[in-house]
Amino acid sequence: MRLTVYTDYALRLLMYLAVKDDGLATIAEVADSYGISKNHLMKVAHQLGQAGYVATVRGRGGGLRLAKQVEAIRLSDVVRRTEPDMAVVECLSSDNACCLGPACRLRHTLQRALAAFMAVLDDVTLADLTAPGRDLRQLLGLVEAK
């Protein structure tokens, strides 16, 4: 299973917002912290805002913050929202035309593997990912090193 860069950015943005203690974060500051594209991050932030994960404040002094409690954000929900196609192989897609379909055990095995992958993500919240808050804040440049 390979997640898209888009989903990676979504999870990283949520983690950043979860550990940022002092107010709003800007797209530029998050992108600079991670060394990633501001343009791509802007698209991610927009979708996460539409999905209700991120609140945006417009204007001077504006920025982003979490719109939900960290305990309420499950990784599996974010992945399902940001991944365009969870079919790890063609035969799991809705327009499967494989001639082995009726007798194929590979398809069933891969469906189980995908379900297991998502089951693990169902058990993890943003709070679980950001529990070592001070360490993450330090790595992201949000606090001074001791």
Side-chain angles (χ1 to χ4, degrees), residues 53-101:
Y53 294 114
V54 172
T56 57
V57 177
R58 292 186 171 269
R60 188 164 171 79
L64 309 169
R65 68 172 172 257
L66 289 178
K68 295 181 175 189
Q69 295 295 316
V70 290
E71 298 83 10
I73 300 175
R74 298 214 166 278
L75 265 59
S76 58
D77 295 335
V78 176
V79 168
R80 284 182 182 100
R81 282 229 182 230
T82 57
E83 280 299 311
D85 183 9
M86 292 297 291
V88 292
V89 292
E90 182 184 354
C91 67
L92 293 181
S93 66
S94 58
D95 58 348
N96 176 30
C98 180
C99 64
L100 299 177

Side-chain angles (χ1 to χ4, degrees), residues 1-4 79 83-96 104-118 121:
M1 176 83 212
R2 183 178 179 103
L3 298 176
T4 61
V79 168
E83 280 299 311
D85 183 9
M86 292 297 291
V88 292
V89 292
E90 182 184 354
C91 67
L92 293 181
S93 66
S94 58
D95 58 348
N96 176 30
C104 185
R105 292 184 180 189
L106 176 61
R107 179 183 174 145
H108 177 68
T109 301
L110 293 174
Q111 283 174 323
R112 286 186 19 236
L114 180 58
F117 176 79
M118 294 307 290
L121 297 182

Side-chain angles (χ1 to χ4, degrees), residues 1 9 15 23 33 35 44 51 70 112-113 116 120:
M1 176 83 212
Y9 286 9
M15 289 174 67
S33 255
V44 169
V70 290
R112 286 186 19 236
V120 169

